[in-house]
Amino acid sequence: MVGKKHKTLGEFIIENQTSFQYSSGELSKLINAIRLAAKVVNHEVNKAGLVDILGAAGDTNIQGENQQKLDVMANDIFIQTLKNREIVCGIASEEEDDFITINSNDEQHQNKYVVLIDPLDGSSNIDVNVSVGTIFSIYRRVTPVGTPVKLKDFLQPGKNQVAAGYIVYGTSTMLVYTTGHGVNGFTLNPAIGTFYLSHPDMRFPETGKIYSVNEGNYIHFPQGVKDYIKYCQEEEDDRPYTSRYIGSLVSDFHRNMIKGGIYMYPKSSLASNGKLRLLYECNPMAFLAEQANGRASDGTTRIMEIKPTELHERAPFFCGSNKMVEKLEEFIDQQA
Ligand code: P6P
């Protein structure tokens, strides 16, 4: 008997075409471009151990981090794929110092979307075979269509996003994204290169028992965060919680969305605004979290309300099950 046919990502995009607000099919084409790039990066990531592609590429990015060859390769693949589709007017990337202006063949192009990406998040895990991911965020431009894109097109608050998502290159490769109508997860069948709808309507449980933070930085955290971590460890009610931290935001987020939990990257005496980048890490993950009935803040302010001032600015980031993030915010508020 033929098994139940799972819907493919392509079928899902066509079915939901009409729900993309004022989309003339361009947003669908954009998601399709990301789908293609995800398959190419997946192929490279999966064979990384077999060819001499591991190790630093010898350069450092604007973050001052050693660029791994796979970082650079993933960046090039996503940028080239998006350029080829002539749907976007600009791209910003963790691996690019400045934003990239896309001048379509037709100078008076009508491309109205900008894309911001972290092409390979969790890159410190690349050489040790731990899952990594790609994060993307999509906005409509705010400057006139047909003119060169400007910085203000990228410095929009996260609440303006029209779509966001991630690809997690893990034990299986998944594409998880939202266009503002809930969150859906698609699993790649590598044998035929097709993504199937495996996790429809993903939602954070209202609360959970997993907290994810690099406890090695504990002594540097603000007092409110220290108090919340101790709260998670107390023997009371449904506690102590379990500590799970992969060191790859996409993987920690994905597990917590399925099982319930909170991910924390606080500011500290070592990093006054935390480590995660607001535009292409915090905002897309915050959009997904809220669309999945979760919550995302910097400890006091909703992440998607923050007005960005720089392309690579960082923000403290707390994200996950609603009740857990609310509890964390209470502890921070008590120390305010
Ligand atoms: P730390 C990866 O570099 C990343 O941006 C996130 O994916 C991850 O959660 C975090 O940084 C890990 O940072 O300082 O705990 O090693």
Side-chain angles (χ1 to χ4, degrees), residues 12-63:
F12 182 87
I13 289 171
I14 291 164
E15 272 179 24
N16 292 277
Q17 171 66 51
T18 51
S19 69
F20 295 163
Q21 196 183 5
Y22 39 62
S23 166
S24 55
E26 283 179 299
L27 190 55
S28 305
K29 280 192 275 185
L30 189 33
I31 301 292
N32 273 316
I34 289 170
R35 170 175 64 160
L36 172 61
K39 287 193 241 185
V40 177
V41 170
N42 177 64
H43 177 70
E44 294 299 330
V45 166
N46 285 350
K47 76 178 186 185
L50 303 174
V51 295
D52 175 34
I53 195 168
L54 295 179
D59 303 328
T60 58
N61 59 20
I62 191 168
Q63 328 293 344

Side-chain angles (χ1 to χ4, degrees), residues 121-122 214 245 247-249 263 265 275-276 281:
D121 177 73
N214 184 339
Y245 190 69
S248 181
L249 165 61
Y263 171 94
Y265 209 102
K275 174 185 182 183
L276 300 188
E281 290 178 324

